[in-house]
Amino acid sequence: MIISVLNQKGGVGKTTLSVNISASLTRMESRVLLIDADPQGSSLNWAAAREGEPLFTVIGLPRKTIHKEVAEISKGFDYVIIDGPPRVTDLARSAIMAADLVLIPVQPSPYDVWAAEEVVTLINEARIYKEKLKSAFVVNRKIANTAIGRDVGEALSEYNTPVLRGCVTQRVIFAEAAAKGCAVYEIDPQGPAAKEIDNLVNEIKEFIQ
């Protein structure tokens, strides 16, 4: 199963989600490959910051041929997570064509809702060649108990793309974990951030079945 995490707007938390989804799947005893397709190399930087054994395999592949190479690269893995580039480019198109599911992280902000249009358009174009391609929004960096946090799902409904129930709240622990090359569950296994990620991953599994 290949999951691309994509949004043409930077700063939406693609790498945070990619890393922690990969870690959660690994904790659930899946074999996971994380492909860093962002030329900025944020996932690779996360892996380099880690001390000790890696949680899962991380490679850099910021090339517009991902969809042609992923079948060979992914042999032996249950899940491939692609941390996509921050702009609409041939590289983004390749990451979409490689995927079975495209997750679109959005922050609860009008700017993020407006910016989602471009990646939704790319996904719809890709379905001409890949009819079974699935996509869904993930609300990330939600600010608890705010009106805009509650309303973002309604705002996204115009795109005819599902919004997953599981959302991820803005928490300092995500930055603290990233600085150490860790997943949030390694910092606080029973904490709310780890539970949110695990709930999201379980919902993703249901969604792609």
Side-chain angles (χ1 to χ4, degrees):
M1 179 58 59
I2 302 170
I3 302 171
S4 287
V5 183
L6 278 167
N7 192 326
Q8 66 92 27
K9 185 178 182 296
V12 295
K14 290 185 291 79
T15 299
T16 297
L17 283 179
S18 298
V19 162
N20 282 286
I21 287 171
S22 298
S24 179
L25 286 166
T26 299
R27 185 160 67 150
M28 296 175 187
E29 300 186 347
S30 294
R31 294 163 297 177
V32 179
L33 170 65
L34 174 57
I35 296 177
D36 191 339
D38 186 343
Q40 295 177 353
S42 298
S43 286
L44 288 173
N45 290 337
W46 172 86
R50 183 177 181 83
E51 295 182 2
E53 293 296 314
L55 278 179
F56 45 82
T57 302
V58 183
I59 65 169
L61 194 66
R63 297 202 294 261
K64 58 185 179 182
T65 53
I66 298 171
H67 62 294
K68 297 178 180 179
E69 300 179 59
V70 72
E72 185 65 28
I73 293 169
S74 63
K75 286 180 179 177
F77 293 97
D78 301 309
Y79 289 90
V80 176
I81 310 298
I82 300 175
D83 182 7
R87 288 175 297 280
V88 171
T89 60
D90 288 342
L91 178 51
R93 290 183 175 88
S94 182
I96 290 170
M97 288 301 296
D100 301 301
L101 167 66
V102 180
L103 291 180
I104 310 166
V106 288
Q107 297 177 111
S109 146
Y111 303 108
D112 283 56
V113 173
W114 299 329
E117 182 175 0
E118 288 192 65
V119 71
V120 170
T121 298
L122 279 187
I123 292 166
N124 289 335
E125 290 172 356
R127 287 197 175 105
I128 297 171
Y129 309 99
K130 200 168 184 178
E131 291 182 15
K132 294 182 179 180
L133 176 64
K134 292 187 175 185
S135 61
F137 288 111
V138 178
V139 179
N140 193 32
R141 295 178 175 166
K142 179 180 177 181
I143 301 173
N145 302 317
T146 61
I148 194 164
R150 293 189 296 271
D151 297 345
V152 64
E154 183 178 342
L156 290 167
S157 63
E158 65 181 280
Y159 293 118
N160 295 317
T161 298
V163 181
L164 297 183
R165 298 183 308 276
C167 55
V168 179
T169 306
Q170 175 88 303
R171 301 182 194 277
V172 174
I173 190 174
F174 285 105
E176 293 174 343
K180 299 176 181 177
C182 293
V184 288
Y185 84 77
E186 294 180 286
I187 305 296
D188 187 2
Q190 302 303 319
K195 289 178 181 177
E196 284 180 350
I197 294 292
D198 285 348
N199 289 340
L200 176 62
V201 166
N202 286 326
E203 186 179 0
I204 290 168
K205 285 183 166 184
E206 292 175 11
F207 184 74
I208 58 183
Q209 284 178 353

